[in-house]
Amino acid sequence: MANCRRDPESEPESVFPHEVGLFTDSYSEKSRFCFCGHVLNITQNFGSRLGVAAGVWDSALSLCNYFESQNVDFRGKKVIELGAGTGIVGILAALQGGDVTITDLPVALEQIKGNVQANVPAGGRAQVCALSWGIDQHVFPGDYDIVLGADIVYLEPTFPLLLGTLQHLCGHHGTIYLASKMREEHGTENFFQHLLPQHFQLELAQRDEDKNVNIYRARHREPRPAHHS
Ligand SMILES: C[S@@+](CC[C@H](N)C(=O)[O-])C[C@H]1O[C@@H](n2cnc3c(N)ncnc32)[C@H](O)[C@@H]1O
């Protein structure tokens, strides 16, 4: 620990401790989580740089819990996660046998890569790529079996971009799992009640009342049968 015994008379600002790092704007926290029999070591790099991408949000943990309780089968499935933050959800999907692409804005990729390295054995099927909704989705194929998102429905201006991205990525028989904290002030309910159902068949798969987190499962609407007169 740094020596912080200084003369307060000669140095009025020294009422603030001088420990190195106490007032730095970033710090890392390593946490352990256990899902589906896997121990996940996740580093969260808090600070202004990563913003909301830094931490593991309740929705991510609810979604991991859901995969465990429902025994969701990822084996051999082509999976993509949007707005992954720490990557915990996609990492679990990869450990459960999925061929997973974990995506977020470029600023978050280093954190996700570190967590993938720490948890997915070499040769495991998890790749990390930049995907900004509404901009990069066409770089990715449109035939994913499973599309994942935890707490990504919170910025109303991005809703049309997110919708377009989901429409492109989700294969015809694919399934989307979205876990969301239902924040009234962020229009989250509007997204699930009005916007998403215009394009997808939607069901509320689980609700955690205490955390106010809903998990939705969505599929493309069946193409309407042609009418013959
Ligand atoms: C609230 S955090 C959730 C992080 C993580 N999924 C979790 O639940 O722990 C929202 C995430 O969405 C990402 N995000 C926000 N806007 C985005 C955009 N336009 N395109 C891609 N990702 C975006 C952020 O970088 C962040 O990682």
Side-chain angles (χ1 to χ4, degrees), residues 6-105:
R6 287 165 191 251
D7 178 4
E9 299 277 302
S10 66
E11 223 180 346
E13 70 275 22
S14 69
V15 289
F16 293 105
H18 286 256
E19 274 95 348
V20 174
L22 196 57
F23 291 121
T24 56
D25 78 339
S26 62
Y27 65 98
S28 294
E29 201 175 292
K30 289 180 200 287
S31 307
R32 294 183 115 206
F33 302 92
C34 203
F35 294 106
C36 308
H38 307 286
V39 175
L40 306 180
N41 293 296
I42 300 295
T43 300
Q44 304 165 81
N45 297 292
F46 293 105
S48 54
R49 215 174 78 81
L50 286 191
V52 295
V56 175
W57 293 75
D58 281 346
S59 301
L61 297 180
S62 292
L63 199 51
C64 290
N65 258 317
Y66 176 82
F67 294 154
E68 182 176 76
S69 67
Q70 300 303 307
N71 211 4
V72 173
D73 188 5
F74 288 99
R75 285 170 304 168
K77 301 274 169 62
K78 187 167 165 174
V79 182
I80 189 163
E81 183 185 5
L82 305 177
T86 62
I88 184 171
V89 171
I91 287 170
L92 181 61
L95 293 175
Q96 288 291 88
D99 179 0
V100 185
T101 301
I102 304 178
T103 74
D104 205 315
L105 296 172

Side-chain angles (χ1 to χ4, degrees), residues 78-167:
K78 187 167 165 174
V79 182
I80 189 163
E81 183 185 5
L82 305 177
T86 62
I88 184 171
V89 171
I91 287 170
L92 181 61
L95 293 175
Q96 288 291 88
D99 179 0
V100 185
T101 301
I102 304 178
T103 74
D104 205 315
L105 296 172
V107 71
L109 299 188
E110 201 182 316
Q111 164 165 284
I112 298 171
K113 282 179 184 165
N115 284 326
V116 166
Q117 269 179 12
N119 291 282
V120 181
R125 309 188 92 182
Q127 53 170 323
V128 180
C129 301
L131 195 171
S132 178
W133 311 326
I135 296 176
D136 304 315
Q137 68 271 22
H138 292 289
V139 173
F140 297 82
D143 61 351
Y144 285 94
D145 300 311
I146 300 179
V147 182
L148 304 173
D151 214 339
I152 58 171
V153 181
Y154 64 98
L155 282 173
E156 287 197 83
T158 67
F159 289 178
L161 307 174
L162 187 53
L163 259 179
T165 303
L166 292 170
Q167 280 181 275

